[in-house]
């Protein structure tokens, strides 16, 4: 936690109050805060500030606003990911938010186990987003969309996301050209499930405007390939 | 598991035998192998082959070698990482091995909890390396070294790793220049602990030949920053 995220309602008074048990416990146990220390605070969907700690108790921490700080920019990328295993979903969302992904779209695919869509983890996306924002020092949640049917998404939604300065790339092992690097425009990245997209899916993606590129001859897991790709594309 | 790693002793006969319970269970449950299927197999520290499955039982899988395949190249990088929390260590090693890091050095640092060095996870490095190699389709384990004292490592070992075409980069938030990208030579990457290196440590690293660069204004966790940096540097 490199910033404490507050709801706008918690910052309506002159003095601000942290009341979340999770945040108070973290600050006491891991940051060892003291009255008089400064603390970085972000307002959800708003600005970021340096504050001073005025009061600490088990129930609340009272803060005084000192100075505004810049909120980090987002990466101009829409990440389109085949719904991963529940455990991987958490890491994928936290990491993508930390790295500044602007929009995340979770889609179905042939090799996605249907049970993943019933996972209770899917109800906790907001919590994962908060963890990612607090890690990065960001305040703006990415947009998240869910499409439980592959074909309608690829045929009806994907083409609306692709523009002249916003192509769509899919990582696929059996193609000739390597994934671009250091691009200077926005893009969509499509990431398949464990085991990859099936040929029908790759064909449909390409038919609807996606460009397929390989990432070398190592097979990289979804949760690892996302930071790897973002580092490569936006450097 | 995208390749089954065998010990050289398991491949001395004309027909090869998988006898590891972990590998047999994985292949039966997740890959649904059948007699007559092909299977990718790597020999530890050796070559990689397509094989044919001749026999499947609860105790063993018997294979016939068909054709040699290329082993993926390593990235020419030495990763020098402050010893992370035990849970992070596993992910860090598996991911680094998957992405092809040539050498990993674990070091102590002021903000590394001393208990991390007693972690039973540290006895399982070989197992994490196997998982990373089997994920990537690689056969060659990276070299791993451990230095439990920061100053002697930085003063006596680090300078021997730095050459004209092999600089050392440390990611640090409070410096002017951004981390290089798309380099065409080998390098050392130094990654601090949670909370970062203390100023004394950064100074000592720089004094001993390290170059400090920032990675933007997001704070990224160790296990996420490694694939992100590798994607950026080797693209």
């Amino acid at each position: 936690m490199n910033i404490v995220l507050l709801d706008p309602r918690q910052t309506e008074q002159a003095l601000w109050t942290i009341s979340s048990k999770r945040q108070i416990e973290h600050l006491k146990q891991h940051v060892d805060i003291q009255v008089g220390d400064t603390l970085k605070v972000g307002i959800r969907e708003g600005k970021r500030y340096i504050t001073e700690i005025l009061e600490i108790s088990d129930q609340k921490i009272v803060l005084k606003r000192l100075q505004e700080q810049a909120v980090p920019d987002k990466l101009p990328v829409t990440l389109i990911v085949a719904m991963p295993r529940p455990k991987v979903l958490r890491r994928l969302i936290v990491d993508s938010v930390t790295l500044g992904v602007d929009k995340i779209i979770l889609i179905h695919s042939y090799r996605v186990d249907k049970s993943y869509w019933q996972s209770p983890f899917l109800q906790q996306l907001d919590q994962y987003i908060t963890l990612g924002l607090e890690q990065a020092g960001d305040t703006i949640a990415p947009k998240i969309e869910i499409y439980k049917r592959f074909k309608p998404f690829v045929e009806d939604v994907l083409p609306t996301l692709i523009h002249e300065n916003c192509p769509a790339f899919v990582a696929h092992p059996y193609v000739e050209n390597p994934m671009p690097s250091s691009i200077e425009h926005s893009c969509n990245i499509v990431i398949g499930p464990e085991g990859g997209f099936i040929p029908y899916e790759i064909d449909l993606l390409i038919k609807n405007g996606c460009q397929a590129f390989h990432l070398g001859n190592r097979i990289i897991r979804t949760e690892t390939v996302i930071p790897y790709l973002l580092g490569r594309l936006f450097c």
Side-chain angles (χ1 to χ4, degrees), chain A:
Chain A
M1 194 192 285
N2 293 298
I3 192 174
V4 178
L5 268 190
L6 295 181
D7 192 272
R9 286 168 299 183
Q10 289 172 280
T11 61
E12 283 168 352
Q13 311 285 325
L15 298 182
W16 299 351
T17 304
I18 301 174
S19 51
S20 140
K21 204 177 154 196
R22 176 184 66 84
Q23 290 174 331
I24 292 172
E25 279 180 1
H26 179 91
L27 290 169
K28 286 181 150 186
Q29 286 168 18
H30 297 286
V31 190
D32 189 27
I33 49 164
Q34 306 292 335
V35 168
D37 288 353
T38 58
L39 188 68
K40 290 176 191 163
V41 167
I43 304 178
R44 267 188 173 280
E45 307 305 314
K47 294 180 176 173
R48 205 182 115 152
Y49 297 91
I50 297 271
T51 67
E52 184 188 331
I53 299 175
L54 300 184
E55 191 189 322
I56 302 172
S57 74
D58 284 346
Q59 284 75 41
K60 63 176 181 180
I61 296 168
V62 179
L63 307 170
K64 184 174 80 176
R65 183 177 78 182
L66 294 182
Q67 190 188 335
E68 192 177 329
Q69 287 192 306
V71 174
D73 290 333
K74 289 271 190 258
L75 294 179
V77 64
T78 295
L79 205 57
I80 301 164
V81 194
M83 181 70 178
R85 277 182 294 130
K87 255 178 64 181
V88 173
L89 178 66
R90 179 185 197 277
R91 173 173 163 190
L92 186 152
I93 299 288
V94 173
D95 280 0
S96 303
V97 174
T98 299
L99 292 167
V101 167
D102 189 47
K103 183 173 175 180
I104 300 167
I105 299 179
L106 297 170
I107 61 171
H108 190 62
S109 148
Y110 184 79
R111 291 209 176 102
V112 168
D113 191 309
K114 286 221 170 71
S115 70
Y116 296 174
W117 293 107
Q118 266 75 53
S119 163
F121 282 70
L122 206 50
Q123 309 307 319
Q124 293 170 28
L125 291 181
D126 264 355
Q127 186 189 320
Y128 305 156
I129 291 172
T130 301
L131 293 175
L133 293 174
E134 287 185 337
Q135 167 65 39
D138 195 354
T139 62
I140 315 288
K143 299 164 269 302
I144 297 208
E145 293 177 7
I146 290 176
Y147 294 91
K148 293 191 188 177
R149 292 175 64 212
F150 181 81
K151 191 161 177 268
F153 168 76
V154 175
E155 291 186 331
D156 303 336
V157 182
L158 181 62
T160 69
L161 305 174
I162 300 176
H163 306 287
E164 195 186 330
N165 281 312
C166 187
F169 303 145
V170 58
H172 189 61
Y174 309 112
V175 292
E176 198 180 333
N177 292 317
M179 183 64 71
S181 59
S182 245
I183 64 172
E184 292 183 347
H185 49 74
S186 59
C187 75
N188 302 277
I189 305 176
V190 186
I191 309 272
E194 273 184 87
F197 287 117
I198 58 172
Y200 162 80
E201 292 174 325
I202 284 288
D203 290 347
L204 199 70
L205 285 165
I206 292 171
K207 203 175 136 197
N208 285 279
C210 244
Q211 301 169 51
F213 296 108
H214 74 77
L215 269 173
N217 50 6
R218 292 178 174 273
I219 303 176
I220 310 172
R221 292 185 303 179
T222 308
E223 63 270 37
T224 313
V225 87
I226 289 172
Y228 182 74
L229 257 176
L230 294 174
R232 177 184 177 99
L233 287 167
F234 299 100
C235 64

